[in-house]
Amino acid sequence: MNLSRMLAARQADGNPVRVGIIGAGKFGSMYLAQAIRTPGIHVMGVADLDVQRAREALKRTHWTEDQYAARSFEEAHKTGAAYVTDDSMALINAPGLDIIVEATGNPAVGIRHALEAFNAGVHVAMVNVEADALAGPLLAREAASAGVVYSLAYGDQPALIVELVDWARTVGFEVIAAGKGTRYQPNLHQSTPATVWDHYGIDAAHAQSNLLNAQMFNSFLDGTKSAIEMAAVANACALTPPSGGLAFPALALDELADGLKPRADGGLLDGRGMVEVVASERRDGSPIEQNLRWGVYVSFAGDTEYARTCFKEYGCVTDSSGNYSAMWRPFHLIGLELGLTVANLALRAEPTGVADAWRGDVAAVAKFDLPAGKELDGEGGYTVWGKLMPAKESLAVGALPIGLAHGFTLKNAIKQGDPVRWTDIDFSEDDFAVKYRRRMESEIQPS
């Protein structure tokens, strides 16, 4: 509340919030479309390895050429235009910059950018949830030590879930479960970039002509993206991942309260305070008419006779006991909503979600029987999918995190459904991302 007024005051004072965007893909483009329409926001620069792609993204999102005609960061600062570059580190260190939006999707690159921003005294809006799942608890600690704020990105589902959890706890309800919806079938864990378009019902030629990234789309389908996002939520909200991984129960909106409660009370959860993802179709493939495929939810308990009476009086959808209810949001607008994080960081120095402990981790699990000598190809690929695990369990078995499961060759054969372990690959302790993740494993105790 009041963020738009605070931004308007910054605009009136001639001191807009100065933002840099790294990565001009879909999320970055969506934010660009709204940032140009938001008083009090000045996008100083856009960095992308492909400068032409960045310029095309600006044009596509209705920027005029003079709005991104700056020839340096100094000129951008003076004129209010944006400077387009392929030098992300220069953007992070641009004079007067307040916030970096990290939207590359590459976890190792995201960690590098975050650390550079902390050193430069710049807040970080981490769109790159892959980086957060890999090392978010350590990044959050280092940001705090540097006196800046590191945050999940509003508009993506994890930050929206954090908001619902905060709502429930702030008004005095115990959170029973929180999560999101998605399309799910058990066989989709074996989906690959070669089969992904068949599952989506998209013509392969159309996908190619529209530059759709098969591996990225597949990471949503094979369960990896759900695991990554729920690890971020677990780490930010003091919630517990299911010990056997996400179950993806098929639930309609009016079934959320009844299903997302403990088994002891007739529900589907191991206990209170869990993360879980709900499927938008039944296991026989039939669609659920009122589903949560694009949305987020929180289930909560009344736990007093008075609260149960109020649930009934005010039309809450509850379970049969009347004690459990659920609140949901049916859709999310990803980058179009990122302005909430930008404003919170700049105006209140507050995150829209940040890890405060290490509770959830995402292990690389074999999609098929993998022979020794096979090279791993990472998130959404042909070899592994990401399975959510309690961080204690992941650390105990020495699981290789999905964010590092690419480019390494297996020393040992892995059976379908088994996790790949650090001991199954040859790796260099000097590799930047490996070194940072191994540091987190040694310095931060899982909760």
Side-chain angles (χ1 to χ4, degrees), residues 194-219:
T195 63
V196 63
W197 303 129
D198 290 338
H199 290 303
Y200 276 114
I202 296 175
D203 180 74
H206 172 83
Q208 185 175 5
S209 64
N210 285 274
L211 304 179
L212 301 184
N213 185 318
Q215 190 156 341
M216 184 274 288
F217 272 76
N218 196 51
S219 71

Side-chain angles (χ1 to χ4, degrees), residues 120-436:
V122 173
H123 301 311
V124 175
M126 183 58 83
V127 176
N128 188 343
V129 71
E130 290 82 2
D132 189 80
L134 182 62
L138 183 54
L139 288 171
R141 189 181 78 180
E142 299 209 301
S145 295
V148 296
V149 185
Y150 167 85
S151 178
L152 296 174
Y154 197 90
D156 251 356
Q157 287 165 304
L160 301 184
I161 297 165
V162 170
E163 181 181 47
L164 286 177
V165 169
D166 187 60
W167 165 82
R169 289 174 174 163
T170 301
V171 299
F173 293 127
E174 181 180 355
V175 172
I176 306 305
K180 54 172 266 185
T182 194
R183 183 184 174 198
Y184 177 78
Q185 291 293 339
N187 68 307
L188 294 179
H189 291 309
Q190 282 71 54
S191 179
T192 72
T195 63
V196 63
W197 303 129
D198 290 338
H199 290 303
Y200 276 114
I202 296 175
D203 180 74
H206 172 83
Q208 185 175 5
S209 64
N210 285 274
L211 304 179
L212 301 184
N213 185 318
Q215 190 156 341
M216 184 274 288
F217 272 76
N218 196 51
S219 71
F220 286 91
L221 200 63
D222 70 7
T224 300
K225 190 68 74 172
S226 290
I228 288 171
E229 293 184 335
M230 290 307 98
V233 172
N235 293 337
C237 293
L239 297 173
T240 302
S243 60
L246 295 168
F248 298 94
L251 297 169
L253 294 179
D254 61 2
E255 297 171 325
L256 295 177
D258 206 47
L260 298 169
K261 63 183 181 182
R263 288 192 183 88
D265 292 331
L268 302 169
L269 304 177
D270 294 339
R272 292 186 172 207
M274 310 291 295
V275 292
E276 187 55 89
V277 175
V278 297
S280 61
E281 58 188 50
R282 307 294 180 188
R283 293 298 193 262
D284 63 4
S286 60
I288 296 172
E289 184 174 350
Q290 296 293 323
N291 66 69
L292 196 65
R293 179 172 179 179
W294 309 109
V296 296
Y297 77 87
V298 62
S299 65
F300 51 94
D303 285 343
T304 67
E305 188 59 39
Y306 190 83
R308 288 190 287 271
T309 298
C310 290
F311 286 173
K312 185 176 181 179
E313 290 174 342
Y314 288 93
C316 296
V317 177
T318 68
D319 73 325
S320 56
S321 74
N323 189 54
Y324 295 100
S325 188
M327 183 77 76
W328 61 83
R329 177 177 169 174
F331 55 82
H332 65 297
L333 295 176
I334 56 172
L336 297 181
E337 299 182 80
L338 181 62
L340 268 293
T341 295
V342 170
N344 269 287
L345 289 175
L347 304 175
R348 294 177 174 156
E350 292 179 354
T352 51
V354 64
D356 61 10
W358 188 22
R359 301 177 184 87
D361 199 22
V362 187
V365 171
K367 288 187 173 183
F368 312 98
D369 289 344
L370 301 176
K374 185 74 172 179
E375 183 175 305
L376 302 179
D377 61 351
E379 177 185 350
Y382 290 86
T383 56
V384 291
W385 61 279
K387 181 178 181 179
L388 180 67
M389 298 178 68
K392 286 183 179 180
E393 294 182 17
S394 175
L395 194 60
V397 303
L400 180 70
I402 189 68
L404 295 177
H406 56 88
F408 293 115
T409 299
L410 291 174
K411 296 191 298 183
N412 307 310
I414 310 295
K415 291 184 177 179
Q416 180 179 354
D418 285 352
V420 180
R421 294 171 169 82
W422 284 103
T423 53
D424 293 318
I425 62 169
D426 282 319
F427 62 91
S428 170
E429 292 282 3
D430 293 328
D431 177 274
F432 169 78
V434 168
K435 187 175 182 179
Y436 197 78

